Amino acid sequence: MTAPTLKNDVFLRALLRQPVPYTPLWLMRQAGRYLPEYNQTRAQAGSFLALAQNPEYACEVTLQPLRRFDLDAAILFSDILTVPHAMGLGLDFLAGEGPKFASPVRTEADVDRLQVPDMGELQYVFDAVSLIRRELDGKVPLIGFAGSPWTIGCYMVEGQGSSDYRLIKSMLYGRPDLLHRILQINADATVQYLNAQIRAGAQAVMIFDSWGGVLADGMFQEFSLAYTRKVVQGLIREHEGNTIPSIVFTKGGNPWLEDISACGSDAIGLDWTANLSQARRRTGDRVALQGNLDPNVLFGGETAIRQQARRVIDDFGVVGAGGHVFNLGHGISRFTPPESVGILVDEVHSYSRGKHQA
């Protein structure tokens, strides 16, 4: 079946640093708990995992924010931990505790048992991608995503989220050989996973290195960025005649922007601590930049939202030969008033036109 013509390709063109009429906008976690319709759908599904593993439900919650807001991209509703779950680690989401693995990877024997999962175990994700593409009917592009090998490894070794990363850092310093084996398996799995999303219909892909910023200098390059680079290098760059752009987002990655910009991705996501104009100078417009409004601005009221949106756009400056995708510096809070998102979208689209020549 021939895919419908893309009606709004501003997001894709911005990632490739091509002329666009305004700065495109999407939000990390835009399909999520701040929307009452999402909470209703999750209640129908019965659990977060049931929601993510059902293509029809995943499609529904992916489309919900696009019905409310004039966003320039959709992002697949899923979770970065689907890959280690398919490896047999036993993922569950406990109320008030977040994700937790029944069988974390901590010993040499655990590592020896680890292998790239059969992508058939993740077919529900690819089915969701295909269904979302059909339902979007060319309205906006669809973003696929995965966690970085390091971030996935953190969850696999710690067994859940962590405040000090003691277990995985103990492995990093005490048995780096084991950690390198985990990360190589994760990189191989992530390449297969993202490429399957692309074949199913994803028009751009994003790698979330949520915990790269907890590493020391030198350790980041060896244990996080090196494996993110392996993923980027393994990605399908063109599918059905279209370029598939990639975005790498490292929370806390500002100290290493020059290194990250050399990993081969088309764009770098920035958290709210980074200065966009400095980041642009440091990367020399070799990559597009994505970001980077503090998510808590959305609690400040209309005047603050409009002022801070303009500040981010002014910080990037006249686009020229660069590329800018407006986003939050991290995921949207579950407590965000939906009307605040509408104000943000309006301000970004209207104000940014003065920064573009197209």
Side-chain angles (χ1 to χ4, degrees), residues 115-150:
Q115 59 184 352
V116 175
D118 180 346
M119 289 297 122
E121 296 291 321
L122 293 158
Q123 187 61 44
Y124 62 90
V125 175
F126 315 135
D127 288 345
V129 169
S130 297
L131 180 58
I132 295 163
R133 270 296 302 275
R134 289 198 300 272
E135 292 298 315
L136 279 171
D137 193 31
K139 180 183 170 101
V140 294
L142 175 62
I143 306 166
F145 72 92
S148 73
W150 162 257

Side-chain angles (χ1 to χ4, degrees), residues 11-18 246-248 261 265-270 276 280 283 285-291 316 321-325:
F11 165 71
L12 297 178
R13 285 192 282 146
L15 290 180
L16 297 172
R17 294 178 291 115
Q18 297 172 355
S246 60
I247 310 162
V248 169
S261 71
S265 67
D266 298 286
I268 298 174
L270 301 170
L276 272 177
R280 190 175 179 188
T283 57
D285 276 342
R286 292 185 302 275
V287 293
L289 300 179
Q290 179 175 277
F316 187 87
H324 182 210
V325 172

Side-chain angles (χ1 to χ4, degrees), residues 177-300:
D177 58 314
L178 293 185
L179 184 51
H180 277 301
R181 282 156 60 186
I182 293 171
L183 295 173
Q184 184 60 60
I185 290 168
N186 286 355
D188 292 342
T190 304
V191 168
Q192 292 188 30
Y193 183 55
L194 287 175
N195 283 343
Q197 290 185 40
I198 292 168
R199 293 188 188 98
Q203 292 152 289
V205 292
M206 183 160 171
I207 300 167
F208 286 89
D209 188 23
S210 305
W211 306 126
V214 307
L215 286 165
D217 185 51
M219 297 301 101
F220 170 75
Q221 289 87 340
E222 180 178 353
F223 290 93
S224 179
L225 185 57
Y227 290 94
T228 296
R229 184 182 296 111
K230 287 176 185 285
V231 174
V232 172
Q233 290 174 344
L235 292 175
I236 294 170
R237 300 295 301 172
E238 186 174 307
H239 185 61
E240 296 180 339
N242 298 306
T243 300
I244 309 297
S246 60
I247 310 162
V248 169
F249 172 70
T250 298
K251 187 183 179 193
N254 193 49
W256 307 297
L257 283 183
E258 293 86 350
D259 292 337
I260 299 170
S261 71
C263 79
S265 67
D266 298 286
I268 298 174
L270 301 170
D271 67 28
W272 66 89
T273 66
N275 179 293
L276 272 177
S277 59
Q278 291 178 8
R280 190 175 179 188
R281 287 196 297 271
R282 289 167 61 188
T283 57
D285 276 342
R286 292 185 302 275
V287 293
L289 300 179
Q290 179 175 277
N292 65 335
L293 186 73
D294 182 346
N296 286 318
V297 167
L298 295 172
F299 296 104

